[in-house]
């Protein structure tokens, strides 16, 4: 059975409109996600584009070279979960954003509550809506692909829509806060904002194995 089909089957059994059925079920999905390879997702054409973009981001005569936009390849969506792939060119950024009420499983360059560089292959990560939070951002140092599984998927009707954030420029915000009786000093205040016009995510075509639903 193709690896992506095994992953889908596990998601179907483990992820519901209310999120994962259990930690054990979520761990099973994460373990299968760890085994997914770019070839399982039909990313050969994207890999060729990567090879074409491994040089300096300068065009002829030293002028600026146009950089392809981020692409999203939709794989599957149902009431319990969605599956998709973000293909990011070098230097591209997905700004700080959230997934309200959603558990996020992510393969490749993502990490919880850390500011670090990650190299593929690496273990899939899990971002929880109520434990540690799931606000995060990405910056691609080299071309990369991120395989996302969201449970449940985005739904504006149910209040699950994406909001973008940035550091608040306000200077009169408190330097410490108290949470559950504990004083926290290492905090950053955020404010909602609309990403700039040059931030574009374009739909691409998923060319991997067809999933039998």
């Amino acid at each position: 059975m193709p690896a992506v089909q095994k992953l889908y089957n596990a998601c179907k059994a483990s992820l519901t409109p209310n999120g994962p059925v259990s930690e054990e079920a979520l761990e099973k999905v994460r373990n299968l996600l760890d085994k997914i390879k770019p070839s399982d997702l039909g990313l050969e054409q994207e890999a060729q584009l990567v090879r074409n973009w491994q040089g300096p981001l300068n065009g002829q005569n030293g002028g600026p070279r146009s950089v392809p936009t981020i692409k999203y390849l939709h794989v599957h969506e149902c009431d319990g979960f969605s599956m998709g792939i973000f293909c990011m060119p070098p230097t591209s950024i997905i700004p700080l954003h959230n997934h309200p009420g959603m558990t996020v499983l992510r393969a490749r360059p993502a990490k919880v509550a850390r500011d670090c560089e990650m190299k593929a292959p690496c273990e899939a990560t899990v971002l929880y809506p109520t434990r540690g939070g799931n606000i995060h951002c990405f910056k691609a140092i080299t071309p990369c692909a991120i395989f996302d599984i969201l449970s449940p998927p985005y739904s504006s009707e149910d209040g699950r829509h994406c909001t973008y954030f940035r550091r608040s420029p306000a200077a009169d915000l408190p330097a410490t806060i108290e949470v559950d009786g504990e004083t926290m000093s290492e905090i950053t205040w955020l404010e909602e904002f609309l990403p700039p016009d040059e931030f574009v995510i374009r739909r691409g075509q998923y060319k991997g194995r067809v999933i039998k639903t």
Side-chain angles (χ1 to χ4, degrees):
M1 182 183 297
V4 70
Q5 184 67 51
K6 291 181 181 179
L7 178 61
Y8 165 81
N9 292 348
C11 289
K12 192 70 174 177
S14 305
L15 307 177
T16 74
N18 295 318
V21 297
S22 67
E23 283 291 334
E24 292 76 17
L26 190 63
E27 185 64 15
K28 181 178 181 180
V29 173
R30 193 186 70 80
N31 287 336
L32 289 171
L33 186 56
D34 273 339
K35 299 176 182 178
I36 292 291
K37 301 176 182 178
S39 57
D40 295 324
L41 303 172
L43 293 176
E44 291 84 358
Q45 183 176 350
E46 297 299 325
Q48 181 61 49
L49 291 175
V50 165
R51 285 189 284 271
N52 293 339
W53 279 92
Q54 285 182 341
L57 295 180
N58 292 320
Q60 294 182 350
N61 301 321
R65 180 180 180 184
S66 60
V67 178
T69 57
I70 299 169
K71 282 199 290 187
Y72 178 74
L73 313 180
H74 177 73
V75 179
H76 176 78
E77 182 171 329
C78 59
D79 290 342
F81 63 95
S82 64
M83 304 168 68
I85 307 160
F86 289 93
C87 299
M88 299 181 63
T91 74
S92 62
I93 296 174
I94 298 180
L96 200 66
H97 63 284
N98 67 349
H99 297 275
M102 303 152 72
T103 298
V104 183
L105 292 101
R106 178 160 285 144
R108 304 302 178 256
K111 198 68 176 179
V112 182
R114 290 184 64 184
D115 181 9
C116 64
E117 178 180 331
M118 302 196 67
K119 298 180 181 179
C122 59
E123 291 185 354
T125 57
V126 182
L127 308 178
Y128 297 94
T130 58
R131 278 186 286 154
N134 59 25
I135 296 179
H136 56 280
C137 66
F138 299 109
K139 179 177 180 179
I141 299 174
T142 62
C144 63
I146 302 169
F147 189 7
D148 260 2
I149 299 176
L150 308 179
S151 179
Y154 280 118
S155 171
S156 296
E157 295 179 356
D158 297 317
R160 297 192 302 273
H161 51 80
C162 184
T163 301
Y164 291 93
F165 300 91
R166 63 185 176 190
R167 287 176 180 266
S168 173
D172 57 347
L173 297 170
T176 62
I177 59 174
E178 187 171 310
V179 178
D180 296 330
E182 179 182 354
T183 299
M184 303 180 66
S185 58
E186 295 183 4
I187 60 174
T188 299
W189 291 94
L190 305 175
E191 65 179 13
E192 296 182 13
F193 87 115
L194 293 177
D197 292 339
E198 56 266 27
F199 173 62
V200 176
I201 297 180
R202 179 168 58 86
R203 269 290 182 105
Q205 183 180 0
Y206 169 64
K207 298 181 178 179
R209 293 267 191 170
V210 175
I211 295 174
K212 296 180 181 179
T213 60

